[in-house]
Amino acid sequence: DYPQMISQFTLFLGAGMSVRKAWFKMVEEYEKRRDRKGSRIAYEEMSYTMHEIQGGVTEGECYERFGSRCGLPAYRRFGALLSQNLRKGGRGMNELLKREAADGGQKKTGQEVGGGSRNKDAGADVPDAGGGTDYDCGSGIFYDTDLRGGNK
């Protein structure tokens, strides 16, 4: 999902949307198709992040928390990039995201989204992506039954 997520985000930014509006639009589109195509943890985390923003948590903090909750380096980079964009401005943001989409599709770690936790501070106790787990990314669907309280 990562390369497609970044590509869609880049498309929305290129169309003139703000980071926040692009994020909310992606969540809106995901929620429309969720019943037909099933739940995707990365997009569920985007939805959670949207609700945090709507609840008054600062955007930058929310994007960084998103990356930490997802638990994969690519998503942490994405969250940090969005947060940095808010602090320093967005020059070259589209180019960085295009590069990230290209790189993200090639950097398979053998892990799936969901290694982080909503109950932890951003960046705290984030699992190491180098440590092998028995997550399965072959299907492209991000399931982590351990995150949901089930068995791996």
Side-chain angles (χ1 to χ4, degrees):
D1 279 347
Y2 185 75
Q4 296 86 0
M5 180 184 286
I6 300 299
S7 294
Q8 183 180 23
F9 198 82
T10 304
L11 182 68
F12 288 151
L13 291 181
M17 289 185 183
S18 67
V19 169
R20 179 180 180 143
K21 186 162 178 102
W23 191 277
F24 283 30
K25 179 75 172 164
M26 286 180 64
V27 170
E28 177 186 320
E29 289 185 2
Y30 162 70
E31 288 176 346
K32 286 180 185 175
R33 69 178 187 270
R34 179 175 44 204
D35 289 339
R36 288 182 289 119
K37 296 201 174 192
S39 179
R40 315 278 291 189
I41 290 179
Y43 286 96
E44 290 294 328
E45 291 298 345
M46 286 185 77
S47 178
Y48 186 85
T49 300
M50 180 185 77
H51 293 292
E52 283 186 313
I53 293 168
Q54 290 172 329
V57 181
T58 64
E59 269 186 81
E61 185 177 344
C62 290
Y63 298 138
E64 289 184 20
R65 286 180 180 182
F66 162 80
S68 293
R69 283 192 311 268
C70 289
L72 290 177
Y75 290 92
R76 279 183 272 186
R77 280 192 310 272
F78 181 47
L81 183 65
L82 296 179
S83 179
Q84 181 180 4
N85 173 65
L86 290 173
R87 287 190 311 270
K88 297 184 177 182
R91 283 191 188 184
M93 177 81 160
N94 274 350
E95 189 57 40
L96 287 172
L97 286 173
K98 285 178 187 174
R99 233 180 293 140
E100 186 63 29
D103 291 347
Q106 297 172 2
K107 294 179 182 175
K108 300 281 183 188
T109 64
Q111 286 189 320
E112 291 303 332
V113 172
S117 170
R118 291 186 180 151
N119 298 325
K120 296 178 185 174
D121 294 330
D125 296 321
V126 176
D128 177 24
T133 66
D134 49 352
Y135 295 112
D136 174 27
C137 62
S139 67
I141 299 175
F142 293 110
Y143 291 104
D144 179 359
T145 55
D146 188 48
L147 181 68
R148 304 278 185 235
N151 295 322
K152 283 188 187 178

